[in-house]
Amino acid sequence: MGNRPTIYDVAARAGVSKSLVSLVLQGSPRVRPDKRAAVLDAVAALGYSPSRLAAGLAGSQTRSIGVVIDEFENLWFAPVLEGIRAALADARYSLSVTDARLNAHLGLDSLEAFRALRVDGVILAGEASEEALTQLGVPVVVLGARAVSVPGMPVVASDEFAGGRLAAAHLAKLGHRDVLCVSAPGASAAAREAGCVAELRERGLSVRVVHAAQTSGAAASAAVAELLEEPEARRPTAVFAVNDPMALGVMGVAARLGLSVPKELSVLGYDDSPLAEYELISLTSISGDPRELGEAAGSELLAVLGGGHAPAKTLLQPRLVQRGSTAPR
């Protein structure tokens, strides 16, 4: 296989300078039509693909966006990324995605790779330190409720507190008087938990809260196992988990203990992830419309990159998607 063609090869074939090739690739109107045609013919003939990193080092845009997510195993991020991709498609930006914990074992911040790649902007759909964000030096749009708060950074989020209230109200209307809320670390989980607790207490209903170590199904299973093993009189009749994977973990424990969902235990999740609608699972869930969130975040980042301004906070209202995992008490 031959070596990958360089910008110098394009310039030599077209009979122009390297700087003129750069102008053509940047879409500059200052290039004569015949010179532009010669460069584009050379690019096509050689199969030349410009290096985004080299463009960044030269001081121009790399046409790339970095996205930080919490964890790859949470399927909520799939429609979020689809929404971001849809918003950026016409502007022809590429996406690079990192898990907030991906290189934690190396002591590296999730944003360090994006600084090295010289991305044009970042969508923060996971947690990151305030120091790392302020040092990044490119526009950032925060997606979702995050622990970090940096003045001037636009936020696109679902109203997580309202979503928690919506979940609790649904269970209360079904007649449940003893609800267990399974929460987890993170600002989103805390807001959903707070909404659930506030709604149930205002209705004069009993609510218990357990905190899982992580936002995973396994962590939720470990957190609820002891409570679901209690005799019927002391066992909750409904569980609200602050995300869908955790709700599935609860359903797994119920199955192991021989508890019928929803006849003996109603289970409600959050995020309306792709798994929730599978007929075998049929999980009632609160939807923050993750695709819409991703599209809004991508659009606002594009506005900032174009020299405009994005709203300080864009708050979308969640909705209940009722399926087969919840039923009257």
Side-chain angles (χ1 to χ4, degrees):
M1 294 180 64
N3 293 329
R4 179 178 175 177
T6 69
I7 193 170
Y8 296 100
D9 297 325
V10 174
R13 186 179 182 95
V16 299
S17 66
K18 169 186 168 293
S19 59
L20 192 139
V21 173
S22 295
L23 287 174
V24 171
L25 296 176
Q26 292 168 24
S28 172
R30 295 182 293 144
V31 181
R32 283 171 24 198
D34 60 325
K35 296 294 186 182
R36 184 186 308 279
V39 169
L40 294 178
D41 286 346
V43 166
L46 294 172
Y48 173 71
S49 177
S51 166
R52 294 180 183 271
L53 180 56
L57 293 173
S60 60
Q61 289 186 327
T62 59
R63 310 299 297 178
S64 60
I65 300 297
V67 182
V68 179
I69 66 175
D70 275 327
E71 51 194 20
F72 285 111
E73 66 184 45
N74 189 342
L75 293 181
W76 177 79
F77 291 109
V80 165
L81 291 172
E82 174 58 25
I84 295 172
R85 186 207 62 78
L88 300 176
D90 289 344
R92 301 189 64 79
Y93 278 90
S94 67
L95 289 180
S96 299
V97 183
T98 184
D99 183 314
R101 299 177 299 172
L102 190 62
N103 290 313
H105 63 294
L106 300 175
L108 297 176
D109 187 277
S110 57
L111 294 173
E112 288 190 24
F114 291 151
R115 283 196 294 273
L117 291 171
R118 302 176 70 90
V119 296
D120 295 331
V122 167
I123 294 175
L124 182 66
E127 300 294 348
S129 69
E130 182 176 344
E131 180 183 8
L133 284 169
T134 52
Q135 290 178 352
L136 190 58
V138 298
V140 177
V141 171
V142 179
L143 198 164
R146 303 295 159 201
V148 64
S149 177
V150 178
M153 285 187 181
V155 177
V156 176
S158 175
D159 190 336
E160 314 275 14
F161 183 82
R165 295 193 75 119
L166 192 59
H170 171 66
L171 296 175
K173 289 173 183 176
L174 291 174
H176 295 283
R177 298 292 178 263
D178 187 359
V179 175
L180 174 64
C181 175
V182 189
S183 193
S188 288
R192 296 169 185 182
E193 172 195 333
C196 173
V197 170
E199 180 71 25
L200 291 173
R201 286 181 176 167
E202 287 176 17
R203 292 172 178 263
L205 301 178
S206 172
V207 56
R208 288 181 273 180
V209 179
V210 294
H211 290 92
Q214 295 178 333
T215 58
S216 66
S221 298
V224 303
E226 188 173 334
L227 282 170
L228 295 188
E229 289 173 352
E230 292 278 359
E232 183 178 356
R234 297 201 299 268
R235 194 173 63 227
T237 63
V239 177
F240 166 52
V242 295
N243 71 26
D244 287 350
M246 296 177 71
L248 295 182
V250 173
M251 293 173 75
V253 173
R256 176 166 55 82
L257 296 175
L259 297 175
S260 171
V261 174
K263 183 177 180 181
E264 294 175 281
L265 183 73
S266 282
V267 180
L268 194 155
Y270 204 114
D271 290 333
D272 195 29
S273 62
L275 282 176
E277 62 183 329
Y278 286 1
E279 187 174 355
L280 183 63
I281 297 169
S282 191
L283 177 66
T284 299
S285 187
I286 303 298
S287 173
D289 203 334
R291 191 187 190 284
E292 184 181 357
L293 282 171
E295 195 161 353
S299 297
E300 294 196 5
L301 184 57
L302 277 181
V304 175
L305 290 172
H309 297 280
K313 190 163 190 176
T314 301
L315 207 58
L316 305 181
Q317 291 303 307
R319 59 188 174 87
L320 173 74
V321 181
Q322 187 168 358
R323 298 190 180 92
S325 67
T326 54
R329 178 172 177 266

